[in-house]
Amino acid sequence: MPDPAALIPGPHVNQPPASALNTEPKTSWFAIVALVTGLIGGVVFAVGFAIVALVQIRRRNRKGKRLVIGGLVAAAIWTVVIAVVVVGALPSGPDRDHSGRITKRGKATVAALKVGDCFTGLRGNTTNVSVTALPCAEPHDSEVVARINLADGSFPGAAELDRQAKAECDKQIGAVYNRSRYAAHLKLYASSPDKASWDDGDQSVACVMQYTGGGRMTAALTNTIDRTLTPWNDVRQGDCFREWTTELFQRTVACTEPHRHQVIATHELTWGPRWPGDKAMEKKAWAGCEKRITAIFGMPPSLSLLPVKWSYVRPSESQWGNGIRDVICLAEAETGTLNRSILPR
C-alpha cells in the first residue's frame, strides 16, 4: 500500500533552468557602433550613438560603457586633429619685423594693410578684398601709398564714396609718383569701405598704386623715384637743366655740368580764379621776370652782356584752373652750353 504522505503534493517552486540563472547582460549594439564611428572619425555619429548606448545600458541593464567611453575618446581625438588641420589650412597673415615691414608673404585684406605694404591680387576697389601681402623685393603689382579717413556721416552710396575716396587720395599723394620709373604704368585705386563696414564705423580708405605694365615691380615705389626729376612749377632759383623740356617734370643737373638752361627767378601771378587770357598772362608773366632779372643783375635783360637769352614758363589755362600760378624765369645759352651758374655770388 502506498505511503499516504507520498500522495500529498508538495509546494510548487517556479525555478528557472540552470542555464538561465547563469546568463550575463548583453552588450549594447549602440555602444559598439559608437566605438567604431569614433575610431573612423565620425565624430557627430559617435556622440549620438554614445548617448543612445548610455541610455540603453542604464534602462535595459546592458554592457558597453567602456566601449562608449572609447568611442567618445576617439571622437575627441579626431575633433582636435580636425581643428588643427582646419586652423593650419586657414590663410595666415604676413610676418613682419620689429619695424612693421613684411618679411614673409601671407593673406590679408586691403583694409588690414599698412602704408608701404606691397601685394598682389587686387580686384576692384573694395577694402575687404583678400590679397597676398609680400616683401616689396618680391614681384608684385600693387602698393599701399597712403591711408586717409573720410568725414563721418551717412553712407553716401558706393559711386559717390568712390569719387570722394579717389579725390582725397589724389590730394594726399599729389604727383610724387610721377617721378617713378614705373610712372607711365601706374594707376591709382582708392580702396574704400562697403556699406556694412561704413555702418560699423570704418571710414578709412587705402590709397593703392597698381602697376599695369608688363611683368611685376620688384621694389617699393619710394625706391623707384628719380630724385633728379622735379615738377616744373617746383623748381628753385639757381637750378640748372641740360635742356628745359615741355614735360611736367624737369631733370636737374649740377650747374658745373654742361647745361643750356638755368632758373634765374620765380614768381606767382595774383589774378583771381578766372583765366585772364593768353595775352594778359604773357604780359604779366614777363613783367615779373623782367623786374626780378633787373634786380639780380643790376640792369634790365635787354642790356645784359651775358651770353644768354631770356625766357619764361607760365601756366596753361588748364593748369590755371587747377590752381597753378607759378612763373619760371629762365636763362638759356645763346650758343652751345653753359658750364657754371650765371647768378651773382
Side-chain angles (χ1 to χ4, degrees):
M1 183 174 182
D3 186 357
L7 300 175
I8 302 173
H12 176 74
V13 179
N14 186 16
Q15 180 72 22
S19 60
L21 291 174
N22 296 328
T23 300
E24 294 186 6
K26 294 181 179 180
T27 300
S28 170
W29 181 83
F30 287 104
I32 297 172
V33 177
L35 176 63
V36 173
T37 53
L39 290 173
I40 65 175
V43 175
V44 175
F45 295 104
V47 173
F49 285 123
I51 294 173
V52 175
L54 289 173
V55 172
Q56 189 182 63
I57 289 170
R58 182 172 60 85
R59 292 183 178 179
R60 299 186 181 180
N61 191 29
R62 302 284 187 175
K63 293 194 304 179
K65 279 188 177 181
R66 291 184 178 180
L67 298 177
V68 171
I69 293 172
L72 291 174
V73 170
I77 293 173
W78 271 107
T79 300
V80 173
V81 170
I82 293 171
V84 170
V85 171
V86 170
V87 170
L90 289 175
S92 57
D95 292 343
R96 298 179 183 270
D97 61 18
H98 65 279
S99 66
R101 185 177 302 171
I102 295 175
T103 57
K104 183 179 179 182
R105 66 172 54 208
K107 290 291 186 180
T109 62
V110 178
L113 296 179
K114 302 177 180 179
V115 174
D117 284 352
C118 299
F119 63 96
T120 61
L122 180 66
R123 300 182 305 279
N125 61 350
T126 304
T127 299
N128 293 325
V129 168
S130 179
V131 297
T132 301
L134 68 171
C136 291
E138 296 183 17
H140 62 278
D141 58 17
S142 303
E143 181 179 336
V144 179
V145 295
R147 295 201 71 93
I148 58 176
N149 287 307
L150 299 177
D152 292 337
S154 59
F155 185 70
E160 174 60 19
L161 181 60
D162 289 345
R163 188 197 66 77
Q164 292 179 17
K166 179 69 162 47
E168 290 300 317
C169 284
D170 274 330
K171 185 187 301 183
Q172 178 76 12
I173 67 174
V176 62
Y177 294 104
N178 288 343
R179 291 185 287 168
S180 167
R181 64 174 179 265
Y182 297 118
H185 302 288
L186 290 178
K187 184 175 181 180
L188 177 63
Y189 282 93
S191 188
S192 51
D194 55 24
K195 186 177 187 303
S197 299
W198 183 278
D199 292 341
D200 286 339
D202 178 14
Q203 282 85 44
S204 64
V205 173
C207 305
V208 174
M209 279 293 187
Q210 185 178 40
Y211 177 64
T212 60
R216 297 288 181 91
M217 297 187 292
T218 54
L221 282 173
T222 53
N223 295 332
T224 69
I225 293 174
D226 188 341
R227 304 294 176 182
T228 66
L229 288 177
T230 305
W232 75 266
N233 57 318
D234 283 345
V235 298
R236 295 176 298 177
Q237 183 185 44
D239 284 349
C240 295
F241 309 88
R242 283 197 175 90
E243 192 78 43
W244 183 278
T245 70
T246 58
E247 301 295 329
L248 292 177
F249 288 83
Q250 305 297 323
R251 188 181 302 278
T252 59
V253 297
C255 290
T256 53
E257 295 182 18
H259 60 278
R260 286 188 55 78
H261 292 87
Q262 182 175 12
V263 177
I264 303 304
T266 64
H267 67 94
E268 287 190 18
L269 300 174
T270 56
W271 276 305
R274 292 188 60 184
W275 170 247
D278 288 324
K279 289 185 178 181
M281 173 69 68
E282 291 168 0
K283 182 178 179 180
K284 194 162 187 176
W286 173 242
C289 286
E290 188 175 33
K291 176 181 177 181
R292 286 162 177 79
I293 293 170
T294 300
I296 292 170
F297 294 100
M299 63 181 67
S302 59
L303 299 179
S304 172
L305 299 179
L306 293 169
V308 298
K309 50 187 177 182
W310 309 100
S311 61
Y312 63 91
V313 179
R314 48 87 171 175
S316 65
E317 184 174 359
S318 61
Q319 290 168 338
W320 185 271
N322 290 326
I324 296 175
R325 303 290 187 268
D326 306 276
V327 175
I328 313 301
C329 309
L330 293 170
E332 179 184 355
E334 283 186 328
T335 59
T337 59
L338 303 170
N339 56 16
R340 64 178 180 83
S341 171
I342 66 170
L343 287 172
R345 295 182 179 179

